[in-house]
Tab-separated table of all heavy atoms in Angstrom:
chain	number	residue	atom	x	y	z
D	12	GLY	N	109.006	80.910	123.474
D	12	GLY	CA	108.788	79.723	122.649
D	12	GLY	C	109.561	78.515	123.120
D	12	GLY	O	109.109	77.379	122.990
D	13	ARG	N	110.747	78.733	123.692
D	13	ARG	CA	111.541	77.588	124.151
D	13	ARG	C	110.861	76.870	125.307
D	13	ARG	O	110.795	75.641	125.347
D	13	ARG	CB	112.938	78.072	124.560
D	13	ARG	CG	113.793	78.533	123.391
D	13	ARG	CD	115.121	79.096	123.838
D	13	ARG	NE	114.955	80.319	124.611
D	13	ARG	CZ	114.801	81.527	124.065
D	13	ARG	NH1	114.766	81.657	122.757
D	13	ARG	NH2	114.669	82.607	124.825
D	14	ARG	N	110.346	77.628	126.263
D	14	ARG	CA	109.651	76.999	127.387
D	14	ARG	C	108.376	76.300	126.911
D	14	ARG	O	108.018	75.234	127.392
D	14	ARG	CB	109.329	78.055	128.446
D	14	ARG	CG	110.547	78.569	129.205
D	14	ARG	CD	110.118	79.445	130.372
D	14	ARG	NE	111.261	79.910	131.158
D	14	ARG	CZ	111.903	81.041	130.933
D	14	ARG	NH1	111.512	81.827	129.943
D	14	ARG	NH2	112.926	81.405	131.681
D	15	PHE	N	107.680	76.938	125.966
D	15	PHE	CA	106.467	76.325	125.435
D	15	PHE	C	106.802	74.992	124.773
D	15	PHE	O	106.104	73.986	124.971
D	15	PHE	CB	105.808	77.270	124.428
D	15	PHE	CG	104.551	76.722	123.809
D	15	PHE	CD1	103.321	76.947	124.397
D	15	PHE	CD2	104.601	75.978	122.636
D	15	PHE	CE1	102.161	76.439	123.827
D	15	PHE	CE2	103.455	75.471	122.060
D	15	PHE	CZ	102.228	75.706	122.657
D	16	SER	N	107.865	74.971	123.988
D	16	SER	CA	108.238	73.749	123.282
D	16	SER	C	108.675	72.659	124.246
D	16	SER	O	108.487	71.471	123.993
D	16	SER	CB	109.358	74.050	122.280
D	16	SER	OG	108.897	74.947	121.294
D	17	GLN	N	109.289	73.054	125.357
D	17	GLN	CA	109.678	72.068	126.358
D	17	GLN	C	108.463	71.500	127.082
D	17	GLN	O	108.410	70.313	127.411
D	17	GLN	CB	110.637	72.708	127.365
D	17	GLN	CG	111.996	73.069	126.776
D	17	GLN	CD	112.803	73.984	127.671
D	17	GLN	OE1	112.355	74.350	128.760
D	17	GLN	NE2	113.991	74.373	127.219
D	18	ALA	N	107.477	72.352	127.312
D	18	ALA	CA	106.278	71.900	128.016
D	18	ALA	C	105.384	71.052	127.117
D	18	ALA	O	104.709	70.132	127.589
D	18	ALA	CB	105.496	73.112	128.537
D	19	PHE	N	105.364	71.381	125.799
D	19	PHE	CA	104.523	70.651	124.851
D	19	PHE	C	105.408	70.203	123.683
D	19	PHE	O	105.342	70.756	122.592
D	19	PHE	CB	103.389	71.545	124.347
D	19	PHE	CG	102.545	72.112	125.457
D	19	PHE	CD1	102.760	73.395	125.931
D	19	PHE	CD2	101.531	71.357	126.031
D	19	PHE	CE1	101.992	73.930	126.955
D	19	PHE	CE2	100.753	71.882	127.054
D	19	PHE	CZ	100.989	73.161	127.514
D	20	PRO	N	106.251	69.201	123.916
D	20	PRO	CA	107.230	68.803	122.894
D	20	PRO	C	106.565	68.219	121.650
D	20	PRO	O	105.512	67.574	121.725
D	20	PRO	CB	108.068	67.742	123.613
D	20	PRO	CG	107.176	67.215	124.691
D	20	PRO	CD	106.325	68.374	125.128
D	21	THR	N	107.179	68.487	120.500
D	21	THR	CA	106.738	67.905	119.229
D	21	THR	C	107.967	67.322	118.546
D	21	THR	O	109.106	67.573	118.950
D	21	THR	CB	106.110	68.974	118.315
D	21	THR	OG1	107.139	69.902	117.911
D	21	THR	CG2	104.995	69.721	119.030
D	22	ASP	N	107.733	66.554	117.492
D	22	ASP	CA	108.853	65.996	116.744
D	22	ASP	C	109.106	66.785	115.462
D	22	ASP	O	109.603	66.252	114.480
D	22	ASP	CB	108.619	64.514	116.432
D	22	ASP	CG	107.271	64.256	115.781
D	22	ASP	OD1	106.499	65.216	115.611
D	22	ASP	OD2	107.001	63.090	115.438
D	23	VAL	N	108.785	68.073	115.478
D	23	VAL	CA	109.032	68.931	114.330
D	23	VAL	C	110.517	69.247	114.245
D	23	VAL	O	111.149	69.607	115.241
D	23	VAL	CB	108.236	70.251	114.448
D	23	VAL	CG1	108.565	71.180	113.293
D	23	VAL	CG2	106.755	69.968	114.496
D	24	THR	N	111.098	69.109	113.063
D	24	THR	CA	112.473	69.528	112.815
D	24	THR	C	112.458	70.514	111.653
D	24	THR	O	111.772	70.298	110.655
D	24	THR	CB	113.379	68.339	112.460
D	24	THR	OG1	112.846	67.658	111.311
D	24	THR	CG2	113.465	67.371	113.632
Side-chain angles (χ1 to χ4, degrees):
R13 291 176 295 277
R14 289 189 178 91
F15 179 90
S16 296
Q17 292 166 1
F19 304 98
T21 67
D22 52 358
V23 176
T24 57

